[in-house]
Each structure stands twice: as C-alpha cells, then as structure tokens.
Amino acid sequence: MSDHLSLTEFAKTLAGSYDNFEQSQNNPKDFARINIYFRPLPWHIFQGPGFYSEQCYDYAPWDPYRQGIHRLTMVHDLFVMENYGFANSRRIAGAGRNPELLDALRVESFEKRCGCAMQFQTKEPGHYIGNVEPGKNCLVPRDGKLTYLVSEVEFNQTNWISRDRGFDPETNEQVWGSEHGLLRFKRTSSFADEITNEWLQAKH
C-alpha cells in the first residue's frame, strides 16, 4: 500500500468520537465516563493533515481536561502524531462536538510539545498500536513535580484502548495514572467523511 493510501486509512480510522460508557457502567467506582474526540483540522492549519483532540468527563463536555493539536506525518512505516499546545484553549473547548469552534485557532500561538509525539504502527490492516516517542522526554507537571509520560494506545474502527501514566524521572517509579488498568472505549461516531484528498495532500 502506498504511503498516501496508508495515511488516508489511518486518518479515517482515527477520526471520530469514543466513549467508555460500558466500562463506566460496569465499574463506576473505578472508571469515570469519558469522551474522546479526534476531529480533523481545517486543511490550512498545517497545509496538510492534522487533528484536534479533546478528552472530557461526560458530565462536563465544555470543560475538557485535555486538549491537543496534532500534525500527522508518516516517517518510514510509522504514523507520527506531533503534539502542540496552543493559546486560548478555553475558546475552543467543546470543539470535539462543535467543530466550528476551531475557527478560533491561531497557528501563531502553537507551541510544539517536544518529546510528546505519538508514534503508531500497523498491527494489521485498520488496526493500530502507538506509544509516546522514546526518550522519556514528554514531561508533565503533576502535584508540583515533573513526571515523564508513558502513553499507550490501540485502536481500530470500533474500539479505542489506552493507558496514560506518569513516572518519576529519577526513580522511574509510577507517580500517577491508570491504577485500575486500561481504559476501554467504543467508537460512537466517525468523522471519516471529513478526510478528503485535498485534506491529505500537502501544499506544493
């Protein structure tokens, strides 16, 4: 499969919303209900493919606890989701559900989160596994101290499984994250129809 077709398939599989309703219902003591969104960005943002991501508790859809901007590239056989922070994140809170809010994005405010790219590989057609890039350089402050992020993801057309944990850079002991195991989500909607040939083609 060509890189272009591979990138198209990856982007169409990723684009959508996910909900761990079943997991939270079966074990509400250990798992809150969470929604995850991967919304394709307007093509002009990166002059090529990119995503806005959002994670929020189901009871607080306008108050996401994580937001990200991602440029999608392909390096050899890896799909790389670069990670960017950005100013005025409150202005686009809720854009997972309401993509028109993305019009407020200003590219000049983006700041690359060095060491925090996610690298995905194909497990089988339409099924991907990913980890934060190696090096223990994705630093996340938590309770007044820096930790390095270990993020693991597996997804396909119907499921999203993930685990995020933070570790002490000096002792490598886990400091925060996923005490009760993997988070298990089901896809609730697809945004694959937003993935067009124009969206995928970098500007020449």
Side-chain angles (χ1 to χ4, degrees), residues 69-83:
I69 298 293
H70 312 278
R71 186 168 79 104
L72 173 59
T73 63
M74 196 167 185
V75 180
H76 305 300
D77 59 347
L78 290 177
F79 303 97
V80 178
M81 294 280 284
E82 296 175 354
N83 206 325

Side-chain angles (χ1 to χ4, degrees), residues 114-135:
C114 295
C116 295
M118 289 293 292
Q119 299 180 344
F120 291 88
Q121 55 187 320
T122 304
K123 184 175 181 180
E124 56 190 48
H127 190 152
Y128 306 94
I129 53 175
N131 298 273
V132 71
E133 64 183 281

Side-chain angles (χ1 to χ4, degrees), residues 78-97:
L78 290 177
F79 303 97
V80 178
M81 294 280 284
E82 296 175 354
N83 206 325
Y84 294 80
F86 54 99
N88 298 319
S89 59
R90 301 303 307 165
R91 289 188 64 189
I92 64 169
R97 296 170 186 254

Side-chain angles (χ1 to χ4, degrees), residues 55-73:
Q55 295 186 29
C56 60
Y57 294 111
D58 189 67
Y59 62 79
W62 300 104
D63 187 24
Y65 63 83
R66 182 180 298 173
Q67 295 169 273
I69 298 293
H70 312 278
R71 186 168 79 104
L72 173 59
T73 63

Side-chain angles (χ1 to χ4, degrees), residues 20-28 31-32 181-185:
N20 70 333
F21 172 77
E22 188 175 312
Q23 184 179 51
S24 65
Q25 288 290 299
N26 291 337
N27 193 354
F31 295 100
L182 299 167
L183 292 171
R184 299 182 179 276
F185 297 80

Side-chain angles (χ1 to χ4, degrees), residues 94-113:
R97 296 170 186 254
N98 297 274
E100 64 275 7
L101 293 172
L102 294 173
D103 293 340
L105 276 176
R106 296 293 174 260
V107 179
E108 57 271 18
S109 79
F110 291 2
E111 184 174 346
K112 193 170 185 178
R113 292 170 174 161

